[in-house]
Amino acid sequence: MKVLVTGAAGFIGSHVAHALIDRGIEVVGIDTLNAYYDPVLKKARLERLTVSPKFSFQQADVSDRDQMNGLMADNPDIRIVVHLAAQAGVRYSLVDPYSYVNTNVMGQVVLLEACRKLPSLEHFIYASSSSVYGQNTSLPFKESDRVDAPGSLYAVTKRAGELTATAYAHLHGIPQTGLRFFTVYGPWGRPDMAYYGFAKAICAGEPVTLYEGSGLSRDFTYIDDITSGVLAVMDHPAKAGEARLFNLGGDHPEKVTRLIGLLEETLGRKAQIEFRPRPAADMESTWASLEAVQKLSGWKPETNLETGIGIFSAWFRNFQGF
């Protein structure tokens, strides 16, 4: 079996690629290696993958029609696509909205059009986000909730990806599954994520910015749980013409203040906290209902925040040299 993983140098993409290789699956990985955050980290993730003969890599942009058409022509035996490439980050969508539309919307359309040329395609799995729940306040978030009040352009582009998938399933029969990820963390993570930024600030003796609000909490999800969730969905594919959506979360919201406390414990340093007003684009709380994915596959997260942050902090100290 051959699987295409887009965003293979990314945080989730690299972990999913490793898990597929461990199953003996041939993986074709693509990534732009853009400079949204330090490409050195992306290249380090890739180096860990390229030691395997089961992995091949191409630097490519999912929004480039010629590159995607050429990729499919060179790999007509791709059976599953795991589309994780995206312009990530809620707040950065206020800075450069065009990159979100180009990568997250145009990129998904271009990739799906190219996938129509694959004779053996069995399943198209793609990354959505908990951000699509936007201004919803009813917890936990369920896939059946209305998602027509986005709180950021990032959320708009992720919801557009879901609607695009539904249309392509209906029009072209491509089996589709979208996964709404909830605050993924762990080793080899993204430096733009809050937990990573907190760790850097704590170790450097710099102020940690914490947004005001006693209810500020997130459904933190450890990377290995996200990876096993992706594979569980892959093992239970959608049918032709079907477009599904599932939450993948930790199923246990934690206050951000507890996250900081665990980082202080595992890094052995105290945080200097500065409180600021919460940006309008940031949600106050998130919590994933997992009923749907558990009914499908039996998947459930296994790693609690204390264990996950301990593993992350050990990796962080080693990788960052603290």
Side-chain angles (χ1 to χ4, degrees):
M1 178 189 290
K2 182 182 287 187
V3 176
L4 170 65
V5 177
T6 73
F11 177 31
I12 300 175
S14 62
H15 280 83
V16 169
H18 275 291
L20 291 169
I21 291 167
D22 287 344
R23 285 191 174 191
I25 294 171
E26 184 178 354
V27 176
V28 177
I30 64 170
D31 202 292
T32 58
L33 300 176
N34 69 24
Y36 168 62
Y37 61 82
D38 193 349
V40 169
L41 176 56
K42 300 178 183 182
K43 292 175 182 177
R45 295 184 189 125
L46 271 183
E47 287 175 3
R48 299 173 66 236
L49 286 166
T50 52
V51 297
S52 170
K54 291 285 187 181
F55 182 78
S56 60
F57 178 74
Q58 178 178 330
Q59 187 168 347
D61 185 342
V62 291
S63 66
D64 187 306
R65 302 179 197 180
D66 291 338
Q67 286 185 333
M68 291 305 99
N69 287 329
L71 179 70
M72 302 311 172
D74 292 340
N75 298 275
D77 53 340
I78 288 173
R79 290 169 55 187
I80 296 172
V81 173
V82 183
H83 176 38
L84 302 174
Q87 177 55 61
V90 171
R91 289 179 215 128
Y92 189 66
S93 64
L94 296 170
V95 177
D96 184 11
Y98 308 106
S99 65
Y100 287 78
V101 175
N102 185 61
T103 302
N104 299 357
V105 181
M106 179 61 79
Q108 186 147 344
V109 171
V110 169
L111 186 59
L112 281 166
E113 278 294 311
C115 283
R116 289 175 58 195
K117 301 176 175 66
L118 290 175
S120 55
L121 183 65
E122 298 174 359
H123 198 184
F124 187 96
I125 302 169
Y126 65 94
S128 186
S129 167
S130 61
S131 296
V132 301
Y133 290 106
Q135 300 174 53
N136 285 13
T137 57
S138 177
L139 297 171
F141 295 149
K142 298 180 179 180
E143 294 89 345
S144 58
D145 291 347
R146 292 185 64 174
V147 285
D148 55 2
S152 66
L153 182 68
Y154 171 68
V156 170
T157 62
K158 283 300 188 179
R159 180 57 181 153
E162 295 178 351
L163 295 174
T164 300
T166 301
Y168 270 76
H170 171 68
L171 294 171
H172 306 297
I174 300 174
Q176 309 247 5
T177 301
L179 301 174
R180 292 172 174 172
F181 297 140
F182 280 68
T183 316
V184 189
Y185 74 98
W188 299 97
R190 280 173 30 210
D192 64 310
M193 294 289 286
Y195 75 94
Y196 201 117
F198 291 162
K200 287 190 74 172
I202 290 170
C203 287
E206 298 172 350
V208 170
T209 298
L210 183 61
Y211 296 121
E212 296 168 338
S214 59
L216 192 65
S217 63
R218 290 290 181 268
D219 195 352
F220 296 105
T221 319
Y222 187 63
I223 183 60
D224 287 359
D225 289 329
I226 286 291
T227 301
S228 67
V230 172
L231 268 60
V233 167
M234 188 182 79
D235 291 339
H236 295 80
K239 300 174 183 177
E242 185 179 17
R244 312 179 303 184
L245 285 169
F246 296 110
N247 292 332
L248 289 186
D251 197 29
H252 189 68
E254 297 273 9
K255 290 188 180 298
V256 175
T257 50
R258 171 163 162 74
L259 167 71
I260 293 174
L262 289 172
L263 286 168
E264 289 177 322
E265 290 177 20
T266 54
L267 294 171
R269 306 187 186 191
K270 293 294 290 182
Q272 303 173 34
I273 298 176
E274 285 187 355
F275 289 96
R276 295 184 185 177
R278 177 167 56 90
D282 275 35
M283 305 162 81
E284 183 173 16
S285 302
T286 64
W287 179 9
S289 168
L290 302 179
E291 291 180 13
V293 71
Q294 288 177 351
K295 183 178 180 180
L296 173 81
S297 67
W299 175 86
K300 61 179 181 179
E302 301 288 347
T303 309
N304 62 35
L305 187 63
E306 184 174 9
T307 300
I309 287 298
I311 297 169
F312 163 74
S313 293
W315 170 85
F316 176 85
R317 285 195 301 259
N318 179 64
F319 187 79
Q320 294 287 349
F322 284 109

